[in-house]
Amino acid sequence: MGPGPSSLLQRLEQISREHPDRVLRLRGQLPLALEAAAEVEAAAAQTSAWEPFELLIFRGFSSSVTHPTAYDPDQSALPPGAVLGSAELLAGPLDPSNEQVLVAACALDGFLDPAAWA
């Protein structure tokens, strides 16, 4: 069994410190909050009880672009229950009007090798 999501995130943050001109975008899913799940229970038969989640890692720091995170940098940016799916490497710093994808979406494990960030 591989490392847990928080451990994996810490390793990726550490590698990103050595590559200040790269941004790693992680995509995954979060379980819907219990309140939200109750509201959509009728629709649950047609859709799953998950919502998309996106996180950016830049210069050793993680930030969610889809969900609120704690102000404490010592706390993980991953909410409980997060399931990470894929990652893509972007040229940094990000320019939303001219995003440069260097490595298309692939498995997260590939970015545990610092050479993959070059």
Side-chain angles (χ1 to χ4, degrees):
M1 184 175 195
S6 290
S7 174
L8 178 64
L9 183 61
Q10 288 176 341
R11 290 172 61 192
L12 293 169
E13 288 171 341
Q14 189 173 29
I15 294 167
S16 78
R17 288 183 190 103
E18 302 299 319
H19 301 277
D21 60 341
R22 300 290 187 252
V23 177
L24 190 65
R25 178 184 298 155
L26 307 180
R27 289 195 170 119
Q29 296 182 326
L30 289 174
L32 287 173
L34 294 177
E35 302 84 34
E39 292 174 11
V40 297
E41 190 171 329
Q46 297 173 342
T47 62
S48 65
W50 293 86
E51 61 183 321
F53 176 74
E54 189 173 305
L55 187 85
L56 299 177
I57 302 175
F58 180 60
R59 296 186 178 185
F61 294 96
S62 297
S63 181
S64 172
V65 295
T66 58
H67 293 78
T69 55
Y71 290 107
D72 182 355
D74 293 329
Q75 289 188 14
S76 176
L78 285 176
V83 176
L84 298 174
S86 65
E88 61 186 346
L89 191 64
L90 309 166
L94 285 181
D95 176 359
S97 66
N98 187 25
E99 191 173 274
Q100 297 177 9
V101 177
L102 303 174
V103 178
C106 62
L108 293 165
D109 293 348
F111 291 106
L112 291 173
D113 177 2
W117 292 63

